Every structure is written in C-alpha cells, then in structure tokens.
Amino acid sequence: MSAPRTARARARAELTVAIKDEARRQLTETGAHGLSLRAVARELGMVSSALYRYFPSRDELLTALIIDAYNALGAAAERAVAREIDACEQWRRGCHAVRDWARAHPHEYSLIYGSPIPGYRAPQDTIAPAGRAPAALVGALRTGWATGGLRPPPSTAHISDELREQAAVLVRLFAPEVPVPIVLRALIALTQLFGTISFELNGQFVGTVDPADEFFGHAVEEMMFFVGLR
Amino acid sequence: MSAPRTARARARAELTVAIKDEARRQLTETGAHGLSLRAVARELGMVSSALYRYFPSRDELLTALIIDAYNALGAAAERAVAREIDACEQWRRGCHAVRDWARAHPHEYSLIYGSPIPGYRAPQDTIAPAGRAPAALVGALRTGWATGGLRPPPSTAHISDELREQAAVLVRLFAPEVPVPIVLRALIALTQLFGTISFELNGQFVGTVDPADEFFGHAVEEMMFFVGLR
DNA sequence: GCTGAATCGAGAACAGTGCTCTCCCAAGAT
DNA sequence: ATCTTGGGAGAGCACTGTTCTCGATTCAGC
C-alpha cells in the first residue's frame, strides 16, 4: 500500500475508505441485514451506481468489512498480549480483549463469527486476517512454554493419528515446539472463548448467567488452567 | 393444540405448516438471507399478500422457524440422551446428536445460533424451546450425579458471589442437588460444544482441523472429563 | 501542450423485495 | 336467510441490488 501518485488514485483510495467507514457506521445501526448500498451512496452524496466503481457488489463490500473486522479484532488481541507480563496474564488479557472488542462492535463481530451471509465467501482473502486473534492467544502459550509457565502436557494416548497430524500442522505454523496435546487443549479453549462470546452477544444467556461478566471471567480462568497455564 | 373443529380452521392449520415447510425448504437452498415471502407464496400457488393472513411479517415467519428449529434440535438431543446407558454415554451421545443435527440442518442451525437477523427477536416465545437441548445434556449430568458417576466437584473458592447466585438459579431450575461448580463447568462445556459446531459450520476450521470429526470427538471427551464425568 | 484512452459520476431502467390497502367471495354463526 | 367474519386477489408504494448508457474529467504518451 504505497503512497498514491496521482490525484485520482488518492481520491479513489480515500473514497474507498469513506465508503467502508459509512458502511461500518450503518452496520452498527442496522446490522448486516439492513446494510444498503443505496443508503451508503446517498449518505456520501453520490448515486448508487457510482459505488460499483469501488466494490463490484454488496457482498464484496461486506467481505471487505469482514477482513477489516478480522484485522481490528486481531490487532486488539495482539495489543493486549504484547506486554512484559507472564504467559498467564497474556492469555487472560487476550481473552478479555477479544470479548471487549466484540461487545464494542457486536455487529462486526457477528459479521465474522455469525452466520455466513454473503453467499459463501471466498476464503482466500479472509483466512490470514482470521488467524490473527487466535494466533495472538497461542502466542501467550508459546511464551508460557518457553518460560516454564506451563504444566506438563496430558497424555497423547487418546489422540487419533488423523487428529495428531492435523494438530502437527497447526503446531508447525503457530507454535513450534509446543506439544500437540497442549495445542489441542488451546484450540478447545478458543472454541469455548468464541462460543461464550457468541452466546452472550446473541442473548443466549438471558435468564441464566446474564449479565455474563462474572461467568466469562470464571470461564477464562477455568480454561486457562485447562490448557496448562498456571 | 386441539383438533380444529371447522373446515376453515383445519385449512388454516394445514396452510400454516405448509408455509413453514416451504419456507424451510427455501432456507436449505438459499439461507435466511435469501428467504423470500413472495417466492414462498408463489410456490404455494398464492399471492404474497395472502401470506400475511398467516404471518404478520417476514420476521415473524422466521421466528416461527426459529422456534421449530429449537424444538427439532431439542428433540434430537432428548432422543439421544433418553437411553438406558450411563451418564458418560448419555453426555457423549447428546453432544454428537447436537452436532449431527447441526450438520444436517446447517441453515436452521445458523438461524438459531448465528447472527440474530430479525431486528432483535422477542425472546419470550423462544427461550423455552431454546433450553431443551442444553437441558437434555444437563439431564445426563443429573443421572451422573445420582448414580455416582461424577468425580467430586472442584473447589468453590474462586467463584464470586454474583456468579454463585446466578448458577444457583440454574441449579434450581435444571439440576437440583448437583453442586454449583459442576453446573458451571457444564455450562462451560456447553459453550465449547456450540462454539465448536459454529466454527465447523462457518468454515472457521478450514486449514486447521478440517474435517472436524476427529477434533469434535476429542473435544467431547476432554470436556466430558472436565465436567467430572468418568 | 495536445490527443487518445482510461476512469468515474449521473441517470435511467429492470427485476426483485416487504408490506399495505381495497375489493370481493365464501364459510361460519345466528 | 341474514349478517359477520376470514381469507384470497390485485394494485400499488417505497424500497433494494445491479446493469447499462452517456457525458465529463483525469491521466499517459508523444
């Protein structure tokens, strides 16, 4: 993303982010369902067809918002983890940062972790940003392993060969030298984390542990112990 | 839901389910986003305005589908749990039944556990059906407690007063006499369960543990031990 | 600096959508 | 047999995403 040379290129870049900003603004008001291209164009003082010079379809605009949302969430998680604190505290703050971001941007969160609305998206552009937040958490695991802040891993006896191979790929990519059973438990903790946040945001906790602050904190601590952080 | 006396009442009841059936059929093809009242009416040989005699709005039709989906998922879970097997096997089969139903009806699943599309729904009619599947799982926990199939509960030391009270309400409603720490761990396991299924259905596992069969089974076993079933 | 080419916004148009309103016929109740 | 109600048909409104054409503006090569 180098500096745009010509005036036209600069205008294009600025309008592209202006469109996304306005779309994001409407997203927070009406949700993905009510996001209207025409309304976005109207608010920007242009006509709807002009918008197609920047995004080939509504779904492409949504995909751009999805990528931005992944990156924003990932950045929030990385910011929370990148401190001079022990692995436990890194994991804890990372989890809470994810929840805080989700509560601050519920519609963007459900854009990325809710129902896949736009047809079925082309994953290639989204998978790298999608990995940032989980990778940040796993980073805490790596520092835990490097500093001796992890309990010894559970047995690998009950892990099937296929799962062991899948996990080995993950280990190679994100957490070299961390044992497979621990990475698998971290993956379980991650699904628990996002499951809880989704439940909270979708109102699935109403009538039970709502508000969910206490439960969330408790779950983080329990799962932290589960993965071996102490 | 007694037998309709008049011919008109019977016709109305039949048409109501016919509308829902056709809507469900379209749901499996296009997802909630592409569900069109007019298309449903067209397929049923009527005009769109006639449909409003049965459902006051598109969102109300979706809400009806949501309730049906909760009930179908709940029934599947109850069927899996209601066997003469030990608590472990009940829990295991219940979890797999939920996943199997979700994979067989992905759009209905993401209708209930994905982004809340219809404005914000009126929960009152949905919370009772929504509780069936979780209640079935917790039922396995109860038989486990009654038959001595549960390990002793972990300490309650790190549970805040507010969370303890919230959990106590849950205990009273769904699992009288099961200790609070165990119910809390069960709730954690439930969020993990639904989180994993949502991840799998939304393609969040692509490039990691996809296909997710092995990981799902592994996670169920790990969480089963986590809640104290042995 | 001029010219041909690429870019971009405006406007109209098409095929859809959810929803409302009126009209009218048939079924039910009295 | 009358009256009230329920329900379907149709037109219409205000939207939507998307495509097309048509000028105007900007850029790049000479």
Side-chain angles (χ1 to χ4, degrees):
Chain A
M1 211 189 276
S2 59
R5 297 324 279 156
T6 83
R8 185 174 261 173
R10 176 163 46 244
R12 178 175 185 86
E14 281 175 11
L15 238 182
T16 303
V17 323
I19 291 169
K20 288 199 291 184
D21 284 347
E22 174 60 27
R24 215 172 347 250
R25 205 189 58 76
Q26 289 195 20
L27 207 64
T28 67
E29 291 187 348
T30 60
H33 173 70
L35 205 177
S36 152
L37 276 192
R38 297 184 104 109
V40 170
R42 208 178 301 133
E43 211 70 19
L44 261 53
M46 37 201 251
V47 88
S48 72
S49 60
L51 227 147
Y52 283 79
R53 303 281 181 192
Y54 299 85
F55 296 94
S57 77
R58 193 191 104 117
D59 287 356
E60 290 287 327
L61 174 55
L62 273 179
T63 301
L65 294 183
I66 286 174
I67 294 176
D68 286 359
Y70 272 131
N71 278 318
L73 174 64
E78 290 165 5
R79 223 175 303 124
V81 167
R83 304 247 170 113
E84 295 288 336
I85 44 183
D86 65 4
C88 259
E89 194 60 20
Q90 283 186 349
W91 179 277
R92 183 181 292 117
R93 294 201 187 189
C95 290
H96 279 93
V98 170
R99 173 174 182 251
D100 291 343
W101 187 91
R103 284 161 56 94
H105 311 85
H107 286 111
E108 290 179 69
Y109 178 87
S110 84
L111 202 59
I112 54 183
Y113 289 110
S115 330
I117 309 175
Y120 286 106
R121 76 186 60 130
Q124 210 51 38
D125 297 336
T126 71
I127 56 174
R132 283 181 66 180
L137 271 310
V138 172
L141 216 64
R142 291 183 66 187
T143 73
W145 181 256
T147 61
L150 273 172
R151 293 199 313 281
S155 154
T156 69
H158 296 93
I159 304 176
S160 75
D161 291 346
E162 183 185 344
L163 182 56
R164 208 193 316 270
E165 275 183 37
Q166 290 176 327
V169 175
L170 273 181
V171 166
R172 219 167 312 152
L173 284 174
F174 294 104
E177 295 170 4
V178 178
V180 162
I182 289 186
V183 169
L184 278 176
R185 289 204 160 185
L187 193 49
I188 291 175
L190 284 177
T191 55
Q192 198 281 325
L193 171 68
F194 287 100
T196 304
I197 295 173
S198 296
F199 265 32
E200 181 182 5
L201 259 51
N202 294 351
Q204 227 90 28
F205 281 146
V206 168
T208 61
V209 289
D210 178 63
D213 303 73
E214 294 294 322
F215 173 73
F216 182 83
H218 177 71
V220 167
E221 301 303 317
E222 287 267 56
M223 295 310 284
M224 206 160 66
F225 185 82
F226 175 78
V227 304
L229 290 165
R230 58 178 170 192
Chain B
M1 211 189 276
S2 59
R5 295 326 278 158
T6 83
R8 190 174 258 174
R10 176 162 46 243
R12 180 177 184 84
E14 281 175 10
L15 238 181
T16 303
V17 323
I19 291 170
K20 288 200 290 184
D21 283 348
E22 174 60 27
R24 215 172 345 249
R25 205 188 58 75
Q26 289 195 21
L27 206 66
T28 67
E29 291 187 350
T30 59
H33 173 69
L35 205 176
S36 153
L37 275 192
R38 296 182 105 111
V40 169
R42 206 178 303 130
E43 211 69 20
L44 263 51
M46 37 203 259
V47 88
S48 73
S49 59
L51 229 148
Y52 284 80
R53 302 284 182 188
Y54 298 86
F55 296 94
S57 76
R58 194 191 105 115
D59 287 356
E60 289 288 326
L61 173 56
L62 273 178
T63 301
L65 293 183
I66 287 175
I67 294 176
D68 286 0
Y70 273 130
N71 278 318
L73 175 63
E78 289 165 5
R79 223 176 302 124
V81 168
R83 303 247 170 114
E84 294 288 336
I85 43 184
D86 66 4
C88 259
E89 193 61 19
Q90 283 186 348
W91 179 276
R92 184 181 292 117
R93 294 199 188 191
C95 290
H96 279 92
V98 171
R99 173 174 181 250
D100 291 343
W101 187 92
R103 284 160 56 92
H105 311 85
H107 286 111
E108 290 179 69
Y109 179 87
S110 85
L111 202 60
I112 54 183
Y113 289 110
S115 331
I117 308 176
Y120 287 107
R121 75 189 58 131
Q124 210 51 36
D125 297 336
T126 73
I127 54 174
R132 283 181 65 180
L137 270 311
V138 173
L141 216 65
R142 291 183 65 187
T143 73
W145 181 256
T147 61
L150 273 171
R151 292 198 313 282
S155 154
T156 69
H158 296 92
I159 304 176
S160 75
D161 291 346
E162 183 184 343
L163 182 56
R164 209 194 315 273
E165 275 183 38
Q166 291 176 327
V169 176
L170 273 181
V171 166
R172 217 167 312 150
L173 284 174
F174 294 105
E177 294 169 6
V178 178
V180 160
I182 290 187
V183 168
L184 278 177
R185 289 201 161 186
L187 193 49
I188 292 176
L190 284 177
T191 54
Q192 198 281 324
L193 170 68
F194 287 100
T196 303
I197 295 174
S198 295
F199 266 31
E200 181 181 6
L201 259 50
N202 293 350
Q204 226 91 28
F205 281 146
V206 170
T208 61
V209 289
D210 178 64
D213 304 73
E214 294 294 323
F215 173 71
F216 182 82
H218 177 71
V220 168
E221 300 302 318
E222 288 266 56
M223 294 310 284
M224 206 161 64
F225 185 82
F226 175 78
V227 303
L229 288 166
R230 59 178 168 191

